[in-house]
Amino acid sequence: FINGASVTITRDNPLDRLNYGSPVSLKIYRRDEIAGGDSCYQIARQPIFNTHGILSDRRGDIMLLINGMPVIHIELKRSGVPVMEAANQIIRYSKEGVFTGLFSMVQVFVAMNPEETIYFANPGPNAEFNDKFFFHWADFNNERVDKWEDIAEKLLSIPMAHKLIGFYTVADKADNCLKVMRSYQYFAAEKVSDQVGKLKDQDGLKLAGFIYACTGSGKTMSSFKSAQLIASSGNADKVVFLVDRIELGTQSLDAYQSYANDDESVQSTSSTDILVERLKSNNSSDQLIVTSIQKMSKITPDNTNGSDYKKILGKKIVILIDECHRDTHGDMLINIKKTFPHAMYFGFTGTPIFEGDEIRGNTTADVFG
């Protein structure tokens, strides 16, 4: 709802004679209008939560609002009180039904004392809070940021707070809950998107870099968010996510489709012919594609219809390769680079090849930049 930009309602206030009984479009929130457009930022101190007589009214500490919507709720504790006490207070409030109605718009919770801060997504009224997904913020070098002044500046200020809500939360349809990205996922996806913007107008093969993300660190979500940011930026016509096994492709496709917004399509490819159709298509629904490195490597100038190949070459293509330490050092990636000599290549891996462990004389940096 929040990222839907606008919503249509039927005006039912008889005092509004002009629009009474008519549909009215309300602008809600445009995530790309950061500190611009109609964006309005407010801080509410000690908001009162009405429990409708069941319990005494609850009083929160701070809420951050965008366009009048409470999107970030902050609970504070004094120095020396464990930060988990603030988190547990949020959980109690949630179980008491505080975050319903208008307050169901809260996307991210922040629990802090002057020396430590954790943040986590609002999982929704029927979901359980899981402290495995309570995160500390960190900087680009993964150094933890805890002091309240630094948190205020680097996480809760504009533009970061706006970006966190608009771009770095994921409504996971498979788990039926909201997720918020860890700091290193944010920096990875942001860096990939920035790199595409810098290299998009360069000619020739673009080895754009690789992301080193260990197993269990949320690599699939990082790659999806990277793909989503690239697609929404307008800097690429096609974003192709390559995997090296069918079962990995099925897992990745399922994950991508569960992460996608309602207005986004993630396309599968049951054959190389279907992949060619998706790549040459001008439909916006064919912008995000999940396929295998095997299918992609079968597309060559010799076995592809000449006009189809020419259409594909005319597209700006970004290729994200999962588990790029495997077959990507073999002939398949070599073939893909020959077929798509103007594409941009990113690798995602949990086990990069460094100097001293070269495969065919190459490190991961040699292959991806």
Side-chain angles (χ1 to χ4, degrees):
F1 174 77
I2 286 176
N3 274 317
S6 62
V7 64
T8 300
I9 65 164
T10 300
R11 195 76 167 109
D12 59 6
N13 184 349
L15 296 178
D16 182 2
R17 294 190 181 92
L18 181 64
N19 299 301
Y20 181 60
S22 302
V24 176
S25 179
L26 300 178
K27 181 175 176 180
I28 301 296
Y29 173 73
R30 295 195 190 281
R31 58 186 180 177
D32 53 347
E33 288 187 355
I34 301 173
D38 296 325
S39 294
C40 171
Y41 305 105
Q42 294 164 298
I43 299 171
R45 291 183 291 179
Q46 296 197 318
I48 296 172
F49 305 121
N50 190 334
T51 58
H52 309 290
I54 301 170
L55 300 163
S56 58
D57 288 346
R58 301 303 189 216
R59 188 184 292 270
D61 287 327
I62 297 176
M63 275 190 162
L64 305 184
L65 295 85
I66 299 179
N67 294 359
M69 297 183 295
V71 291
I72 297 176
H73 178 73
I74 305 166
E75 280 296 319
L76 307 172
K77 293 296 177 187
R78 67 181 181 275
S79 186
V81 176
V83 75
M84 275 305 297
E85 286 201 18
N88 289 333
Q89 190 166 331
I90 290 169
I91 295 169
R92 282 197 305 275
Y93 282 168
S94 181
K95 289 180 176 175
E96 290 170 358
V98 160
F99 300 108
T100 56
L102 177 70
F103 297 117
S104 64
M105 291 182 177
V106 171
Q107 304 290 289
V108 173
F109 293 118
V110 178
M112 61 193 299
N113 62 30
E115 295 84 27
E116 184 180 4
T117 298
I118 56 176
Y119 70 101
F120 46 100
N122 180 359
N126 300 315
E128 288 294 316
F129 287 83
N130 185 341
D131 60 12
K132 281 201 309 186
F133 301 110
F134 291 6
F135 306 135
H136 290 91
W137 189 251
D139 63 16
F140 183 82
N141 297 312
N142 212 28
E143 296 290 333
R144 250 177 64 175
V145 178
D146 273 314
K147 298 286 186 193
W148 72 267
E149 301 100 324
D150 296 330
I151 289 292
E153 178 188 349
K154 295 174 181 173
L155 178 62
L156 300 178
S157 64
I158 304 303
M160 188 61 223
H162 187 125
K163 288 160 66 173
L164 188 70
I165 300 302
F167 293 98
Y168 296 103
T169 55
V170 175
D172 188 340
K173 291 187 276 291
D175 290 348
N176 194 32
C177 74
L178 188 72
K179 296 180 177 177
V180 63
M181 295 182 79
R182 300 166 172 91
S183 51
Y184 59 78
Q185 292 177 298
Y186 157 74
F187 285 114
E190 187 97 333
K191 190 77 171 174
V192 169
S193 181
D194 287 350
Q195 189 80 324
V196 171
K198 288 175 187 172
L199 300 179
K200 65 181 171 65
D201 294 323
Q202 290 187 12
D203 289 330
L205 190 69
K206 294 176 269 290
L207 302 182
F210 71 94
I211 300 296
Y212 176 11
C214 300
T215 302
S217 64
K219 184 154 51 75
T220 301
M221 186 182 286
S222 300
S223 65
F224 167 76
K225 188 51 73 170
S226 300
Q228 188 186 49
L229 290 174
I230 295 164
S232 65
S233 71
N235 289 328
D237 300 310
K238 303 288 174 184
V239 185
V240 184
F241 186 61
L242 291 186
V243 294
D244 72 344
R245 293 202 307 273
I246 291 173
E247 60 270 29
L248 275 179
T250 303
Q251 290 171 18
S252 300
L253 178 66
D254 289 346
Y256 268 39
Q257 289 178 336
S258 69
Y259 296 155
N261 294 329
D262 291 341
D263 60 348
E264 293 173 324
S265 297
V266 180
Q267 301 294 355
S268 62
T269 54
S270 55
S271 68
T272 301
D273 289 341
I274 296 292
L275 176 57
V276 169
E277 291 299 314
R278 303 260 192 248
L279 287 172
K280 72 177 187 178
S281 166
N282 292 323
N283 293 334
S284 59
S285 60
D286 290 324
Q287 190 177 17
L288 281 172
I289 301 168
V290 177
T291 191
S292 69
I293 194 169
Q294 290 84 356
K295 291 189 185 79
M296 196 82 172
S297 67
K298 288 177 184 174
I299 301 176
T300 67
D302 295 332
N303 64 11
T304 306
N305 178 287
S307 63
D308 288 349
Y309 183 58
K310 193 172 180 182
K311 284 180 187 174
I312 293 170
L313 277 190
K315 309 278 186 191
K316 288 183 179 176
I317 300 175
V318 176
I319 299 175
L320 309 175
I321 304 180
D322 190 32
E323 299 299 348
C324 67
H325 58 283
R326 290 185 181 150
D327 293 331
T328 50
H329 286 268
D331 294 329
M332 282 188 279
L333 184 60
I334 293 171
N335 292 340
I336 290 170
K337 286 180 176 177
K338 286 178 181 175
T339 302
F340 304 95
H342 303 290
M344 199 177 301
Y345 294 85
F346 290 94
F348 284 79
T349 179
T351 52
I353 309 302
F354 294 118
E355 287 184 20
D357 298 311
E358 293 90 345
I359 297 178
R360 291 187 169 190
N362 289 322
T363 65
T364 303
D366 294 328
V367 177
F368 288 99

